Amino acid sequence: MSIANTLNLYWKYIGISIRAQMQYKVSFIMAAIGHFLITAVEFLAIWAMFDRFGSIDAWTLAEVALFYGMVHIAFSISEGAARGFDLFPSMVKSGDFDRFLLRPRSTAFQVASMEFQLLRIGRLLQAVIILGWAVTTLDISWTLPRVLLTIGAIGGGACIFSGFFVIQATLAFWTVESLEIMNTITYGGVEAASYPLAIYRDWFRRFFTFVVPLACVNYFPALAILGKPDPMGLPTVLGWLSPLLGVAFLWVTLQIWKVGVRHYTSTGS
Amino acid sequence: MPQVTVENLRKTFKIAERDPGMWGAVKGLAVRRYRTVHALDGIDFTLEPGELVGYIGPNGAGKSTTVKVLAGILVPTSGKVDILGRVPWKDRIEHVRGIGVVFGQRTQLWWDLPVIESFDLLKDIYNVPSDAHRATRDRLIDLLSLKEFLDTPVRQLSLGQRMRCDLAASLLHSPAMLFLDEPTIGLDAISKLAVRDFIKEMNRRNGVTVILTTHDMDDIEALCDRIMVIGSGKILSDGTLEDLRAKVKRERRLVVHLAHDGMDIEDPDAEVVKREGNQVQLRFDPEVISAPNLISRIASKYPVRDLFVENPPIEEVIAKLYREME
């Protein structure tokens, strides 16, 4: 099974999913616009706050926009691409997961490519605009390493959020209830990472650095891009390595997924 | 060399029990009580290439559990399975590449996609070369007469059409083995015949080994050279149709066409099982009275127009076997 062949299959799956969503064009466009507006209002609230107080802990609005744009682009990518894991619990309940086990492909691949939620393009678009504004407003020279770091941080972030979805789906092998806690971490993580981590309390920062390495794919890279030292005193080099931590996190969650599949195939339910 | 070897296969399920009501649900969180169910209780058999085996048994006997283990989607508690040189659950991806599976109750196709697009996707999933795919696909479309609804989304197909498409889908990658779990369930008579003919064709012409679970004894009689009966997780009988009949107490049927309607037959060694117009069906034990003796006795006493001896229907044989098991 070559990589080219797998990618080809992935695009076919995505194409099917997109075509299915396009069958109801108007409803799709409305939903995408709605998504755009909801997330835009979110940023409007941030702007209003800065307009009132000028800055938070010496962070300017443009700087916060950099955090916000990066994390929201990452999140919308993973929301679109890993949506299958979101739908997965109902699949386990109905027994449809057996079908995936009968096909000569990894189960994680099949679940991931099951559906691509295109309407997340609303969030993506809004986040791109905000990131674009931040990039042009901030006084930063956009060298190649900086550009690469930004892309890497977004990729790493998408990996982390996808990892959240994988964990959430994996829990469905054991329980059909109590998945709400995962939403708290996922959506709470997005909210928290929209601001520089330095403004939060210690335990909260540590949680998002060491337990869930969200800070590593957002906060530290952003610091490195801004050329700011970490107010918490962690070395800047962390910023350059951290996108890899996102990939590592996703890898770990996929191993846990395999444990879940093994549990499923030994209980048959 | 057998294609499939199953040795002492066991599967035990632990089923959590909880007391009814709110309090039971709360208690269930802290203390879990389990009931153990032996779905498979030491199954042994081998299959040679090209066999067509019926796998039958009452509901809950372990049929589906066996099929799931053989298909690689369920890991047994203990025992050995070797299919085409592989252990299904250890080498899932390579294993499923060589087998085809159809579950009568559930489609393997994409609900919203036209049939032909499902077939295209399967080509990519199994990575079948384009030329080989086209040849196999066209032949299956032809054999199962799928042409007229190839562009119809699967959800709009009738059950019979869907089953034919599912059969085609399971064979697109040219597997050496086919597992069919109740492929004729809920089908009308014509679709059943089409499905049966197709299974026979694939088995005889292409040498595909087939394991078929079913409740439909006509399937068994029409298709299977060998029948395995499973009950309470054990193989109760494994052999030909004749072996199966011999397993239960020997019994024959004598069908008598009388000259007039509404007449009755009485005989000390035969029992009337059915009466329809001028036709009477009698049951007798050939060890108590031989067929020629019974025939001459009845022919001398009653105005007989025609008569013939037959075996009891297989349904009754099976039902009897199940009863004897209990």
Side-chain angles (χ1 to χ4, degrees):
Chain A
M1 227 33 56
S2 70
I3 290 176
N5 175 277
T6 306
L7 274 180
N8 174 37
L9 183 59
Y10 182 75
W11 290 121
K12 283 219 171 125
Y13 272 125
I14 301 304
I16 286 164
S17 171
I18 289 176
R19 250 182 301 149
Q21 291 167 60
M22 284 302 172
Q23 280 184 355
Y24 310 97
K25 253 191 209 106
V26 178
S27 107
F28 165 77
I29 292 169
M30 296 304 286
I33 291 174
H35 223 68
F36 178 86
L37 290 177
I38 288 168
T39 46
V41 166
E42 241 173 60
F43 191 74
L44 210 63
I46 297 175
W47 171 83
M49 196 165 64
F50 273 88
D51 192 49
R52 178 74 182 75
F53 299 108
S55 65
I56 304 174
D57 273 9
W59 297 90
T60 66
L61 180 62
E63 283 165 348
V64 170
L66 181 73
F67 286 91
Y68 182 98
M70 274 165 57
V71 76
H72 280 258
I73 291 173
F75 186 57
S76 57
I77 290 172
S78 73
E79 252 190 332
R83 165 83 175 151
F85 286 99
D86 215 13
L87 301 173
F88 181 71
S90 66
M91 266 193 97
V92 171
K93 241 195 268 178
S94 66
D96 281 340
F97 184 58
D98 283 357
R99 197 174 67 210
F100 285 4
L101 289 168
L102 289 173
R103 295 190 180 135
R105 296 286 175 163
S106 86
T107 50
F109 169 75
Q110 291 184 74
V111 174
S113 49
M114 185 164 67
E115 185 168 326
F116 187 92
Q117 227 187 8
L118 200 62
L119 68 90
R120 304 298 176 180
I121 205 163
R123 187 196 290 275
L124 181 67
L125 201 64
Q126 183 258 2
V128 168
I129 291 171
I130 288 179
L131 184 66
W133 177 76
V135 162
T136 48
T137 309
L138 288 165
D139 188 22
I140 298 172
S141 70
W142 284 97
T143 57
L144 184 64
R146 276 211 169 95
V147 172
L148 288 180
L149 184 58
T150 309
I151 293 168
I154 289 169
C159 285
I160 292 228
F161 289 121
S162 301
F164 288 167
F165 288 125
V166 173
I167 291 177
Q168 184 164 355
T170 306
L171 287 176
F173 284 121
W174 283 276
T175 174
V176 285
E177 294 134 56
S178 68
L179 298 173
E180 282 307 309
I181 183 144
M182 279 310 296
N183 281 336
T184 314
I185 294 184
T186 311
Y187 291 93
V190 174
E191 284 308 307
S194 298
Y195 298 92
L197 213 58
I199 67 170
Y200 298 115
R201 290 201 176 275
D202 240 11
W203 65 268
F204 195 82
R205 283 198 303 239
R206 284 206 201 97
F207 180 78
F208 278 109
T209 308
F210 300 111
V211 183
V212 177
L214 191 55
C216 299
V217 293
N218 182 255
Y219 175 66
F220 295 120
L223 282 182
I225 293 164
L226 292 170
K228 281 196 175 191
D230 176 26
M232 297 185 283
L234 286 162
T236 320
V237 66
L238 200 61
W240 292 92
L241 290 175
S242 54
L244 293 175
L245 281 171
V247 180
F249 182 76
L250 180 60
W251 183 84
V252 169
T253 62
L254 286 173
Q255 302 315 304
I256 301 171
W257 166 261
K258 281 186 189 162
V259 175
V261 173
R262 225 171 295 144
H263 173 78
Y264 178 88
T265 55
S266 64
T267 57
S269 61
Chain B
M1 247 275 287
Q3 205 167 30
V4 177
T5 310
V6 176
E7 273 172 31
N8 199 16
L9 190 65
R10 285 168 198 279
K11 179 68 197 176
T12 324
F13 290 111
K14 265 181 160 180
I15 295 170
E17 283 190 328
R18 90 183 181 193
D19 297 332
M22 243 322 248
W23 176 236
V26 175
K27 221 165 64 179
L29 289 175
V31 201
R32 289 248 173 134
R33 268 181 300 124
Y34 291 101
R35 187 163 50 96
T36 322
V37 177
H38 300 281
L40 298 179
D41 201 8
I43 300 262
D44 293 272
F45 64 85
T46 58
L47 295 183
E48 297 297 328
E51 277 198 277
L52 204 171
V53 182
Y55 195 57
I56 59 177
N59 288 327
K63 290 188 307 263
S64 292
T65 306
T66 313
V67 172
K68 280 187 175 176
V69 170
L70 297 186
I73 59 183
L74 191 63
V75 183
T77 310
S78 66
K80 234 181 80 179
V81 176
D82 183 300
I83 297 179
L84 300 161
R86 287 187 205 96
V87 179
W89 59 91
K90 286 211 174 119
D91 209 352
R92 183 185 69 80
I93 288 183
E94 278 312 303
H95 171 66
V96 295
R97 194 180 292 287
I99 62 166
V101 185
V102 175
F103 289 111
Q105 315 262 32
R106 188 175 291 155
T107 184
Q108 308 287 312
L109 303 165
W110 285 259
W111 207 236
D112 297 314
L113 284 191
V115 177
I116 192 75
E117 285 193 38
S118 275
F119 290 175
D120 285 349
L121 257 184
L122 287 167
K123 169 197 175 289
D124 288 313
I125 289 176
Y126 286 91
N127 209 8
V128 183
S130 293
D131 291 347
H133 172 73
R134 212 170 303 124
T136 318
R137 185 194 64 191
D138 292 347
R139 179 153 174 268
L140 291 168
I141 288 172
D142 195 41
L143 274 174
L144 288 158
S145 326
L146 309 179
K147 205 156 201 156
E148 56 204 282
F149 46 84
L150 278 177
D151 295 320
T152 312
V154 173
R155 64 181 136 83
Q156 288 173 17
L157 297 179
S158 74
L159 193 56
Q161 292 171 332
R162 207 213 74 203
M163 182 46 61
R164 275 142 68 196
C165 292
D166 257 312
L167 276 170
S170 71
L171 287 161
L172 280 173
H173 55 290
S174 310
M177 294 198 66
L178 193 54
F179 298 101
L180 304 172
D181 195 12
E182 307 199 25
T184 54
I185 197 164
L187 300 191
D188 60 63
I190 297 170
S191 301
K192 268 187 190 173
L193 284 180
V195 166
R196 266 181 218 141
D197 283 346
F198 176 76
I199 295 170
K200 202 182 255 169
E201 168 85 9
M202 277 297 134
N203 176 252
R204 307 280 138 92
R205 285 271 184 87
N206 294 33
V208 177
T209 312
V210 180
I211 297 183
L212 169 76
T213 80
T214 183
H215 283 295
D216 188 328
M217 294 308 150
D218 291 339
D219 287 350
I220 297 286
E221 276 188 287
L223 292 173
C224 304
D225 320 312
R226 177 179 166 194
I227 297 154
M228 293 194 283
V229 183
I230 183 174
S232 312
K234 289 192 173 76
I235 301 268
L236 302 169
S237 156
D238 183 353
T240 62
L241 214 66
E242 290 317 304
D243 293 338
L244 187 60
R245 285 209 170 93
K247 265 238 154 157
V248 290
K249 206 161 157 272
R250 282 169 62 80
E251 179 190 304
R252 291 289 172 81
R253 295 291 165 91
L254 178 66
V255 182
V256 185
H257 288 242
L258 293 164
H260 320 288
D261 276 13
M263 282 183 72
D264 221 1
I265 293 179
E266 273 172 47
D267 191 279
D269 296 321
E271 185 195 339
V272 176
V273 275
K274 217 160 91 187
R275 200 177 287 122
E276 230 180 276
N278 66 341
Q279 204 183 96
V280 180
Q281 210 183 97
L282 299 156
R283 165 165 51 197
F284 67 98
D285 182 347
E287 274 167 20
V288 176
I289 182 164
S290 73
N293 284 346
L294 183 67
I295 288 170
S296 63
R297 208 153 77 191
I298 285 174
S300 68
K301 268 167 78 179
Y302 301 95
V304 173
R305 187 181 288 164
D306 192 10
L307 44 72
F308 53 94
V309 181
E310 64 179 21
N311 283 315
I314 191 74
E315 280 98 337
E316 289 181 22
V317 176
I318 303 284
K320 217 165 163 184
L321 193 71
Y322 291 170
R323 272 201 302 277
E324 280 171 22
M325 270 153 41
E326 278 163 7

